[in-house]
Amino acid sequence: MNKIGIKGVIFDLDGTLIDSMGIWYDIDRKFLAENGVKNPPADISDRMKKMTIYESSELFINEFKLSCTKEYVVKRIEELVRIEYEENIPLKPYAAEILDFLDNRGISYGVATATYHSLAEVVLKRCGIRDRFEFLLTDKDYPRGKKFPDIFLGAAEILGARPNEILVAEDALHCVETAKNAGFITAAVYDKASECDKEILSETADFYISGLNEIENLF
């Protein structure tokens, strides 16, 4: 048994297991530019990361008066970002090593992410770790996104443990808040994209870690 009784781990994907948040910043602007929006608000990507894919597509259409459908926005952004997931985005440091650590201790784990299911599949397969996860849950499975605890509670059912026996590793403040309020043990993982929230993340999460290797310290 470990220090705080962890029986399972739920990993976020973007910004936690893979180094991808900068890609989304660029893609938001590239999509808007090709649809005639040359100078979007500076905080547009910060607003997007708190939304589901469908919520963000609706915001694009309504705020920038785009003459396209939500389905088009969702599909086009997936097309724009796909090559990065297929070819370029790397794992965060110690991602594979922490999975080895958990395997050696018989701790089950999976991924809960707000990104496209197809992109999550392709990047995890390319990085050679897809088959190691017990599950991969996305907005496709839980459309309300991570502002609600549904996706974390669904993961807990698969893991067969109570929230207070499961560690949730996340880089985004709103996700940490949701998991924490639902009774999960939370580890806020440093990512450059969420550096501005470092102080409040440290105060909100049960643990603040600068790298995935520090999860070992909880055992």
Side-chain angles (χ1 to χ4, degrees):
M1 185 56 68
N2 47 71
K3 295 178 184 178
I4 52 178
I6 298 171
K7 295 183 178 179
V9 180
I10 302 169
F11 288 101
D12 172 49
L13 182 64
D14 295 279
T16 300
L17 284 174
I18 63 172
D19 193 3
S20 58
M21 294 307 294
I23 298 300
W24 286 100
Y25 181 93
D26 294 335
I27 291 298
D28 289 340
R29 284 155 179 77
K30 185 173 182 179
F31 172 81
L32 290 171
E34 71 177 26
N35 284 275
V37 182
K38 303 303 182 183
N39 296 296
D43 67 344
I44 191 67
S45 293
D46 289 333
R47 292 158 64 192
M48 293 298 101
K49 69 184 182 182
K50 298 179 182 179
M51 298 180 179
T52 67
I53 294 163
Y54 294 97
E55 287 171 339
S56 61
S57 67
E58 187 170 14
L59 182 144
F60 278 157
I61 291 170
N62 293 337
E63 182 160 331
F64 302 109
K65 305 297 187 289
L66 304 185
S67 59
C68 51
T69 64
K70 286 193 293 183
E71 290 72 22
Y72 171 80
V73 178
V74 170
K75 182 178 179 181
R76 180 57 181 150
I77 290 178
E78 182 177 11
E79 290 171 350
L80 289 171
V81 79
R82 173 169 288 277
I83 192 168
E84 297 294 338
Y85 279 73
E86 289 180 337
E87 299 181 9
N88 299 322
I89 293 172
L91 290 174
K92 294 285 284 286
Y94 307 108
E97 288 83 351
I98 199 60
L99 301 187
D100 291 339
F101 177 87
L102 295 173
D103 287 342
N104 289 336
R105 284 153 182 78
I107 303 294
S108 298
Y109 51 85
V111 172
T113 176
T115 200
Y116 295 82
H117 189 99
S118 61
L119 299 183
E121 286 279 0
V122 76
V123 71
L124 291 173
K125 286 178 180 177
R126 176 175 58 79
C127 292
I129 61 173
R130 171 62 185 97
D131 292 340
R132 303 185 66 172
F133 295 98
E134 191 166 335
F135 56 83
L136 170 58
L137 302 179
T138 70
D139 284 356
K140 184 177 180 181
D141 307 291
Y142 295 92
R144 296 206 299 171
K146 289 185 176 179
K147 289 180 291 187
F148 297 87
D150 312 25
I151 193 167
F152 297 118
L153 296 173
E157 286 188 25
I158 298 171
L159 291 169
R162 297 187 299 272
N164 64 0
E165 298 171 325
I166 297 172
L167 179 71
V168 173
E170 283 274 3
D171 67 298
L173 176 59
H174 73 285
C175 302
V176 170
E177 290 173 335
T178 299
K180 176 82 172 179
N181 290 336
F184 290 86
I185 305 163
T186 52
V189 183
Y190 171 80
D191 186 69
K192 185 177 181 179
S194 58
E195 190 168 15
C196 60
D197 292 326
K198 181 176 180 179
E199 184 174 348
I200 191 168
L201 276 167
S202 300
E203 295 171 354
T204 303
D206 295 297
F207 305 95
Y208 185 88
I209 58 178
S210 59
L212 290 170
N213 58 314
E214 293 180 22
I215 289 177
E216 295 184 16
N217 299 331
L218 307 182
F219 290 79

